[in-house]
Amino acid sequence: MNSTQLKQMVTRRVAQAKEQARTMRRELTESDLPAGTLALAFAFGTLISTIPVPLLDMALAAFVMRRLGGRLPRAPFFGGMAVANNLVMAPLYASTPKVGGLALGWVGTHTPLVAPEAFLARILVGYLLIAAGLALGSFVLAQTGFRGYRFTQRQRFAN
């Protein structure tokens, strides 16, 4: 493969990515679905993307899109997955023991759990709290954003 072929291949891939982004944007802006449905798909994508096991989130996303593809809008679902990518989630994963420890401060002193089990319980509870909080926050922000976008579009066309 020479440099010309490599440039052509990269150009084709960039053009494909741009076209997919345009399609997703068009799907979001021209959708007749209620803002709550779009926000729910966004929050669901965010929640699935918080799974810390490599490739399990992608497998689960593929399964969800296969099963709910007709009822779940793709663009906000994959947008939520893009927002909760590994770069965003890495510091949150690192803070799971601390969050779990704060939520379960009594684990170390009031239960018969030994140190490794207490640490795993803190990680699990911290992860669940962070994932639920991120999903809830993304739902509220997405619903507000989708409603605001629709409101501004109605105002623009009314004038």
Side-chain angles (χ1 to χ4, degrees), residues 31-66:
S31 176
D32 293 334
L33 294 172
T37 303
L38 296 172
L40 188 62
F42 186 83
F44 200 53
T46 304
L47 182 65
I48 287 176
S49 187
T50 61
I51 296 173
V53 180
L55 296 179
L56 182 61
D57 58 344
M58 291 297 157
L60 189 58
F63 176 75
V64 166
M65 287 311 299
R66 184 89 153 138

Side-chain angles (χ1 to χ4, degrees), residues 5 28 46 49 52 65 73 86 89 92 98 107 127 138-139 150 157:
Q5 291 173 331
L28 271 177
T46 304
S49 187
M65 287 311 299
N86 289 334
M89 292 306 297
L92 296 176
K98 184 70 172 172
V107 168
Y127 165 73
S138 67
F139 175 78
R150 294 236 171 102
F157 290 122

Side-chain angles (χ1 to χ4, degrees), residues 73-141:
R74 292 178 323 142
F77 179 77
F78 288 120
M81 288 191 73
V83 167
N85 61 38
N86 289 334
L87 291 175
V88 172
M89 292 306 297
L92 296 176
Y93 293 148
S95 66
T96 56
K98 184 70 172 172
V99 171
L102 290 172
L104 299 173
W106 52 268
V107 168
T109 56
H110 302 317
T111 62
L113 291 176
V114 294
E117 292 155 349
F119 185 69
L120 290 175
R122 286 185 183 125
I123 288 175
L124 181 62
V125 169
Y127 165 73
L128 291 174
L129 287 173
I130 288 172
L134 194 61
L136 181 63
S138 67
F139 175 78
V140 170
L141 289 174

Side-chain angles (χ1 to χ4, degrees), residues 28-29 31 33-35 38 142-159:
L28 271 177
T29 57
S31 176
L33 294 172
L38 296 172
Q143 186 169 16
T144 304
F146 290 133
R147 284 184 185 207
Y149 177 78
R150 294 236 171 102
F151 178 76
T152 57
Q153 291 300 318
R154 282 193 302 256
Q155 293 297 322
R156 183 182 301 166
F157 290 122
N159 292 332

